[in-house]
Amino acid sequence: MPASRPPAWYLVSLRGQGEHAALRRAAARHGGALLPLSPWRIVPMQDAASGQALVQALSAPVVVFTSPAAVRAAAQLQPLAVRTGQHWLGVGAGTAAALRRAGIVQVQAPGRMNSEGLLTLPALAAPSRVGLVTAPGGRGLLAPTLAARGARVDRADVYARVPVPLDRRALARLAAADAPLVLALSSEEALQRVLSQLPGALATRLRHAPVVAASARLATVARDLGWQRVLVAGSPRPAALARTAADALPTNA
């Protein structure tokens, strides 16, 4: 068999352990390979208190899921089913797709796939009560804004992000990478955790790579942390991140 061609570039992913597959496939479609730097692993909640909080959240007139991981973890706790008159919302297309796979046919998601976009949906204009299915940390804008709009927020943390040390083999691959790097950024928390663990030389190399941010807010975070070349994909979806990353590369990469 002929030797496989080396990748033309590398997309650095900061997603959790086991959460890189879609981004890997998306990078490959543009001639790239993936370098995963996972700062955490996703652990679904299994305790009775989490189950009770989920039951309460799912009884609200409006139910919001903040990630595909939240959908998967909630479905492990109990079957998901819409009640008459409810609105079920996902923060983006990926979350909406996960809800449909779980059996929820009518799902609303914003075109602008972040908390700011979600808050523009009519169902969240002046809700009386919202069930928020999520995890500790992240999406900090949602609950305070909904409360300011007069809503009671019933929060169910259905999974946890458990910090893990960066994998030594991943660090070695990053150090040995002999093609251009592009950093995919869809979580400020993930970026901060990775930077706190990266050795100085690798942190410097990563800071010299272009960043493809899922949103304008994350682009600002990257610039504030010292990145010079920052592009906005406008979506956390792997296809959008990889396409924008490929466009960021020199033509001879």
Side-chain angles (χ1 to χ4, degrees), residues 128-154:
S128 59
R129 184 160 71 95
V130 175
L132 184 61
V133 186
T134 186
R139 306 290 177 198
L141 178 67
L142 279 177
T145 303
L146 292 170
R149 293 178 181 181
R152 188 183 103 191
V153 178
D154 292 330

Side-chain angles (χ1 to χ4, degrees), residues 28-44:
R29 287 194 288 270
H30 296 276
L34 199 77
L35 283 175
L37 291 177
S38 295
W40 57 54
R41 59 188 175 92
I42 300 296
V43 178

Side-chain angles (χ1 to χ4, degrees), residues 54-74:
L54 179 61
V55 168
Q56 183 70 14
L58 295 182
S59 71
V62 182
V63 182
V64 174
F65 286 77
T66 62
S67 69
V71 177
R72 293 191 294 269

Side-chain angles (χ1 to χ4, degrees), residues 166 190-199:
L166 296 180
L191 180 60
Q192 296 283 10
R193 288 187 179 277
V194 167
L195 288 178
S196 71
Q197 296 186 63
L198 273 181

Side-chain angles (χ1 to χ4, degrees), residues 54 58 63-75 79-82 87-109 118 133:
L54 179 61
L58 295 182
V63 182
V64 174
F65 286 77
T66 62
S67 69
V71 177
R72 293 191 294 269
L80 303 182
V82 177
H87 298 276
W88 284 47
L89 283 56
V91 75
T95 305
L99 282 166
R100 293 187 186 102
R101 289 193 295 270
I104 307 302
V105 177
Q106 297 295 326
V107 182
Q108 301 171 48
L118 189 69
V133 186

Side-chain angles (χ1 to χ4, degrees), residues 114-130:
N114 52 29
S115 297
E116 292 86 348
L118 189 69
L119 288 164
T120 66
L121 293 179
L124 294 180
S128 59
R129 184 160 71 95
V130 175

